[in-house]
Amino acid sequence: MGLGFAIITEVIGAGIFSLPAAIYLYAGHASFAAYVVCALAFGTIVLCFAESASRVATSGGAYGYVTVAFGELAGLIIGVLLWLGAVLAFGSIASAFADGIISFFPMLKFPYSRELILVSTMVVFVLINIKGVKEAASFVSITTFIKVIPLVIFVFVGFWGIYFGGHHATQVANRPVEDFGRALLLAIFAFSGMETPLAISGEVKNPNRSIPLALFWGMGFIVILYLGIQYAAEGLLGHALIDSKTPLADGMAKISPILSGLLLFAATFSRLIWLSADTMGAPRFLFALSRDGMLPKAFSKLHPTNGTPIVAIIFHVSVGTILAISGTFEQLAILSGMASAAIYLFVCASTFALVRKNVATRGEPLNFKGIIPIAIIGFIAMAVSICFSTAADIIGFLVVLSASVAYYFLSRKAKKT
């Protein structure tokens, strides 16, 4: 039960408050299909995470599985991808956060107001996180229900408004499919996050029963909720969904201004909490890679008094803020989804290798039946998803991989001399 709630907490992020518009922009009337196809693919990914977690005794999650399976170079690549996915997600959520603040307080809409909101908010996050983990964690300690309840309210009230309240959109949402592949990457962005709770799979009682059960009902609830949100948003807004920066609040505004304000506040608050949590966790990827000698030593520099990775925190937030200022939510979310797909691709490959090598550092592994074909299917699904990206996105991805490989060999050569 607890693992299922943890999966829901991690997966349902702040992005879902903006995703209906972005998904509809690319998938059109096939928006539901994008969610369902992605959910089926994720079924293979979560099983690979669970199997790998039961075989490798490490708190590093994907970084640990891939390193054990393929060595330090692969570990460096996955570490870079983990940070890249996190900082791109940071930029996308921060961008949506600024748009939400301006929608909530229209008087703030003046030249460079968006940039001012982003920079001032991120400075506060940096100061909180540099002060210490305790202070940052106390700010992040928000229950699942604060995120989920407004979403459930939107679905039920939205369905009532569409079928009984006469609030169905005058222009029906029947937009043709523009780019189903990019919609899939957005869906991957929406479903990512379950790897964090699955990292403790080896410590769960009766894992062969409890883990599949938690995955089934946790991810099943998320799929149903996402489909309900998409249906309600399309039904209430129709074609107007494309241009909405705050689709859930705009949809609810047709039924109740009070509930619309609640949705807008919930979206803004959820994004704020997500950004704070990311600022606390993601810079530790840079710190860990630096500590292990895979990145420059500056990233492992600690604050002299508080012991926090000051350089890593400042660098992560600075890059994320620049991305938020220069890009839009959907653009950055797609790139983050692409990075996540690459991470999951590596995890599927490492699961295949760990099972074939019979690696088991924490006792009896889960030994899911059919895990080898499941890992192959997951690998292919993520590879196909990446191929749906634009040529520029794929080239950028290959540049990151090439730069990581080049840095690895150059740093090893420098150490030898």
Side-chain angles (χ1 to χ4, degrees):
M1 198 74 170
L3 183 59
F5 277 117
I7 291 171
I8 293 171
T9 302
E10 292 293 335
V11 174
I12 299 179
I16 190 58
F17 289 93
S18 302
L19 273 170
I23 291 281
Y24 180 65
L25 174 66
Y26 294 109
H29 59 75
S31 297
F32 294 122
Y35 281 117
V36 172
V37 169
C38 190
L40 292 174
F42 259 72
T44 64
I45 305 303
V46 293
L47 290 175
C48 285
F49 266 100
E51 182 69 34
S52 293
S54 73
R55 291 178 174 274
V56 179
T58 178
S59 59
Y63 172 66
Y65 315 150
V66 174
T67 301
V68 171
F70 301 117
E72 283 189 350
L73 174 58
L76 171 63
I77 293 173
I78 200 71
V80 170
L81 288 173
L82 283 166
W83 175 75
L84 185 64
V87 77
L88 287 166
F90 184 102
S92 67
I93 299 299
S95 177
F97 168 75
D99 292 335
I101 288 289
I102 293 172
S103 296
F104 202 76
F105 301 104
M107 72 286 296
L108 295 177
K109 193 172 184 178
F110 53 84
Y112 301 107
S113 60
R114 189 171 180 274
E115 290 78 1
L116 181 61
I117 290 169
L118 285 168
V119 171
S120 58
T121 304
M122 300 314 139
V123 167
V124 172
F125 281 160
V126 168
L127 295 176
I128 290 173
N129 280 272
I130 288 177
K131 189 174 181 181
V133 172
K134 183 179 179 181
E135 288 76 7
S138 63
F139 183 68
V140 175
S141 298
I142 305 298
T143 65
T144 306
F145 299 101
I146 289 179
K147 287 190 293 186
V148 174
I149 286 179
L151 297 173
V152 173
I153 290 173
F154 174 78
V155 172
F156 278 99
V157 176
F159 271 62
W160 176 87
I162 292 169
Y163 288 104
F164 304 105
H167 298 291
H168 196 288
T170 54
Q171 290 184 309
V172 181
N174 57 359
R175 177 180 172 82
V177 178
E178 294 288 336
D179 194 335
F180 191 76
R182 292 180 78 75
L184 282 179
L185 289 172
L186 279 168
I188 289 174
F189 173 78
F191 282 109
S192 61
M194 79 290 175
E195 58 267 26
T196 301
L198 286 178
I200 64 168
S201 299
E203 303 168 37
V204 175
K205 292 182 179 179
N206 301 317
N208 289 317
R209 177 180 178 276
S210 57
I211 290 177
L213 183 62
L215 291 172
F216 177 78
W217 80 261
M219 293 302 291
F221 172 81
I222 291 167
V223 171
I224 293 171
L225 180 64
Y226 282 3
L227 290 174
I229 291 170
Q230 190 70 34
Y231 184 87
E234 291 182 16
L236 291 170
L237 293 176
H239 286 306
L241 183 60
I242 298 175
D243 300 317
S244 177
K245 295 291 186 182
T246 54
L248 272 61
D250 291 345
M252 196 55 62
K254 297 185 66 175
I255 302 174
S256 167
I258 295 176
L259 289 178
S260 175
L262 171 66
L263 263 297
L264 193 55
F265 173 79
T268 304
F269 185 71
S270 182
R271 290 164 186 150
L272 187 70
I273 297 303
W274 189 95
L275 290 168
S276 181
D278 185 76
T279 306
M280 183 175 66
R284 269 67 181 181
F285 289 137
L286 299 173
F287 171 80
L289 289 170
S290 175
R291 178 201 59 201
D292 294 344
M294 295 185 183
L295 285 181
K297 292 182 179 179
F299 288 112
S300 57
K301 180 179 175 60
L302 299 175
H303 189 279
T305 304
N306 303 324
T308 49
I310 181 171
V311 175
I313 290 171
I314 293 174
F315 182 80
H316 176 77
V317 174
S318 298
V319 173
T321 304
I322 292 170
L323 289 170
I325 291 172
S326 61
T328 63
F329 167 80
E330 60 268 15
Q331 290 171 333
L332 295 169
I334 287 170
L335 291 173
S336 179
M338 182 179 176
S340 296
I343 293 167
Y344 300 147
L345 183 149
F346 270 94
V347 169
C348 289
S350 66
T351 301
F352 182 91
L354 292 172
V355 172
R356 292 297 297 270
K357 295 176 183 178
N358 198 26
V359 175
T361 63
R362 56 163 81 230
E364 184 66 23
L366 294 182
N367 284 320
F368 280 122
K369 292 183 179 179
I371 191 62
I372 291 294
I374 286 172
I376 294 172
I377 293 171
F379 182 94
I380 294 172
M382 292 301 103
V384 171
S385 298
I386 293 172
C387 291
F388 280 131
S389 304
T390 64
D393 292 343
I394 293 175
I395 290 172
F397 173 69
L398 293 176
V399 168
V400 170
L401 292 184
S402 300
S404 301
V405 172
Y407 174 81
Y408 175 82
F409 285 109
L410 288 174
S411 61
R412 289 298 173 272
K413 184 177 180 180
K415 284 184 180 180
K416 289 180 181 180
T417 57

